[in-house]
Amino acid sequence: MNAPQEKGPIVGIDLGTTNSLVAVFEHGAPRVLEARGVSILPSVVRYEQDPAAPGGVRPVVGEDAKARAVEFPARTISSAKRLMGRSIDDVRADLPYLGYEVVRGEYGQARARVTLEDGSSREVTPQEVSATILRELRGLAESALGRDVGRAVVTVPAYFDDSQRQATRDAGRLAGLEVVRIVNEPTAAALAYGIGTRADAREGETIAVYDLGGGTFDVSVLRLTPSEGEGGTSFFQVLSTSGDTRLGGDDVDHLLVSLFAREIRGLMGDDGAGEFDLSSFPPATRRALKAFGESVKCRLSEDESASVRIQINEGLVYERVVTRDEFESMITPWVERTLGACGRAMRDAREHLGDGGVDAVILVGGSTRVPLVRQRVGEFFGIEPYTALDPDRVVALGAAVQAGILSGEATGSLLLDVIPLSLGVETAGGAVAKLIVRNSTAPARATEMFSTGVDGQTSIKINVLQGEREMVEDCRSLGVFELSGIPPMPAGIPQLEVEFLVDANGVLRVRAHERRSGKRAGLQVVPNHGLTRDEVERIERESYAHAREDMTRHRIADLITNSSLDLKWIGERLDRFGDKLDRASRDDLQKRIKSVGEMVGRARTDWRSVEPNALHAAKEALDRASVRLQEISISESLRDGER
Ligand code: AMP
């Protein structure tokens, strides 16, 4: 049974147009590999003369090649994927964008010609360029894993034809890798989310994969056909694909650059009748402007506004704030173009889909971080898209899942139809409130109401936790998000509804809604990623071992929170209305406040130093002793209201 393991792991590779990644399936989950700080490798190769290297030429791969591409355009190859398995006639439309020379090779195949330092030239096939990238990824994987790697699953776009797929296999062979399977990128994205990896995969489940990168856009509609019989894996049928090979985040950078350039021109006193030519800017300025544009774009994915400040020359500074609203109206036509392609893909898939929609939408590619993209895609398909996994890594992760299935490694992974560990949120005092308890079946849903513990809190942090223990420090944080923009209210007044929803694929959506202000925020995660059966068992054992201690600790944490609220509330009223009480009652209350306060103080420094029943009894006694004071305060405030 273990035979495949002896050959070393099978890795999963996302061989992308702009970036490439390698991942592995280990301990029940896929993981992107990293070595020497590199995990995302730019798919760029520069050729340098080196008498010591085989053939006298040495390739430089990745970040260095990308960073200096503008300096050495004639010997830097990027986007080789666009040429893979294509003839020169197929790629004619791409040529103006490539920056290097493309020539006709054997059988009319496109290949690149690079001009070296001494003016000599050399032809390289796209397979060779891709092989150089794959070799680098193989080395990265070997360093990260500390063992030889000889086999890989490699992903390709769903629309790749046979000769493009064959060229990809050839590139693998040149890199010394046996390509055990070629997988469609959208299929890999679905596998990364666990779709189709369960024994109970749903017949006919349909998935749209929306992949918006830097320079390309693809949308695919897939249908899942579960395997016949035991142990097999499901099969994804590509119902349709659509897209645009010249549409991506770069266009957005360009829109911003045009805006800046136009305004800078205006600032310099050249109102040039509206029209201007960006190419009249020197290349270094254009590059700097593009970097400014990209950074503003990325910041606007998080913030409501972003600003740039460009020193044009001595005494002349261009400063500009771009708001999310302005940005969104600028990019609306760009987003709508992608939706046009989604419409075409859905129409083409109709004959298989009937009138139904898709069951899941997966977002892939860095540009899907733009909130307007997420929102419009969700509206278009009528379903909230999956965003739990990093859109830059999801394809590589899925390739690793496929590799894990092929090597038998993934069969021991967690079944997703039960939720193996409890899910909850952090509450005051570092305790955990569990919303979904372990062994619930997916899909599962739970909601709970919370409030604030401090007056005037305008934002609430929500820490999403997994585990069986009672305190935050003994659980695993799956993510934190913030609900902000809440108007200041006294402690306990905000009404925060938190909803947990685990769907059939095991993806958890957490939504928080403050009812009084209407503010909402949320988070998506895949709780089972990174969990193995062994780990789940260990966590269970620990929770039994600590059960009693944990219960006490949780109780103390809750008592501290509630007692502190009481102390504050009663203390304030005693200050205001204490003179309306008889002396004995006032003294008694003061004594009790002091004693509860001391216990809370001690419990805060060391929870073991206070007996929970004693604290509970003291708090209850304080509450009882304050009844008269509460009555006075109510009648006083009613009287105030009458005036
Ligand atoms: P990819 O080709 O998938 O690596 O995607 C790269 C594109 O994603 C580039 O255009 C990036 O500028 C864009 N991108 C990366 N991060 C963000 C972000 N936080 N917000 C908006 N766009 C982003």
Side-chain angles (χ1 to χ4, degrees), residues 32 39 60 76 127 135 186 189 229 251 293 327 376 379 384 396 409 421 437 444 448 493 516 611 621 625:
V32 170
S39 58
V60 178
T76 302
Q127 288 88 326
R135 206 173 292 118
D251 302 318
F327 177 69
R376 294 292 295 129
E379 286 164 0
E384 188 188 325
E409 186 81 10
L421 293 174
V437 294
E448 203 160 314
I493 297 300
R516 293 183 192 274
E611 217 285 304

Side-chain angles (χ1 to χ4, degrees), residues 343-372:
R344 286 191 291 281
M346 287 299 282
R347 268 196 302 282
D348 292 347
R350 267 288 167 248
E351 66 174 282
H352 305 279
L353 279 183
D355 288 332
V358 294
D359 300 303
V361 177
I362 297 177
L363 299 186
V364 180
S367 299
T368 61
R369 293 200 180 91
V370 174
L372 185 68

Side-chain angles (χ1 to χ4, degrees), residues 220-239:
S220 314
V221 182
L222 310 177
R223 184 166 59 180
L224 184 64
T225 312
S227 64
E228 307 268 316
E230 285 285 299
T233 46
S234 312
F235 168 75
F236 287 92
Q237 183 189 0
V238 180
L239 298 183

Side-chain angles (χ1 to χ4, degrees), residues 500-527:
F500 272 45
L501 210 135
V502 178
D503 73 8
N505 294 316
V507 177
L508 166 66
R509 293 184 167 100
V510 181
R511 296 189 185 118
H513 175 202
E514 201 290 299
R515 287 194 184 160
R516 293 183 192 274
S517 58
K519 292 284 173 194
R520 289 170 192 275
L523 174 88
Q524 245 190 54
V525 275
V526 185

Side-chain angles (χ1 to χ4, degrees), residues 18-19 211-215 248-250 253 294 297-298 301 365-367 369-370 391-392:
T18 40
N19 291 309
D211 180 349
L212 186 59
D250 294 347
D253 305 344
E294 186 170 9
K297 171 184 77 173
C298 293
S301 293
S367 299
R369 293 200 180 91
V370 174
D392 291 321

Side-chain angles (χ1 to χ4, degrees), residues 202-267:
R202 275 178 291 159
E203 168 79 52
E205 184 171 354
T206 54
I207 306 115
V209 181
Y210 176 103
D211 180 349
L212 186 59
T216 58
F217 170 62
D218 294 312
V219 54
S220 314
V221 182
L222 310 177
R223 184 166 59 180
L224 184 64
T225 312
S227 64
E228 307 268 316
E230 285 285 299
T233 46
S234 312
F235 168 75
F236 287 92
Q237 183 189 0
V238 180
L239 298 183
S240 62
T241 64
S242 184
D244 188 330
T245 55
R246 292 269 155 235
L247 183 66
D250 294 347
D251 302 318
V252 175
D253 305 344
H254 194 81
L255 286 173
L256 287 165
V257 169
S258 303
L259 172 79
F260 301 156
R262 199 163 48 237
E263 292 182 352
I264 290 172
R265 275 278 151 85
L267 200 64

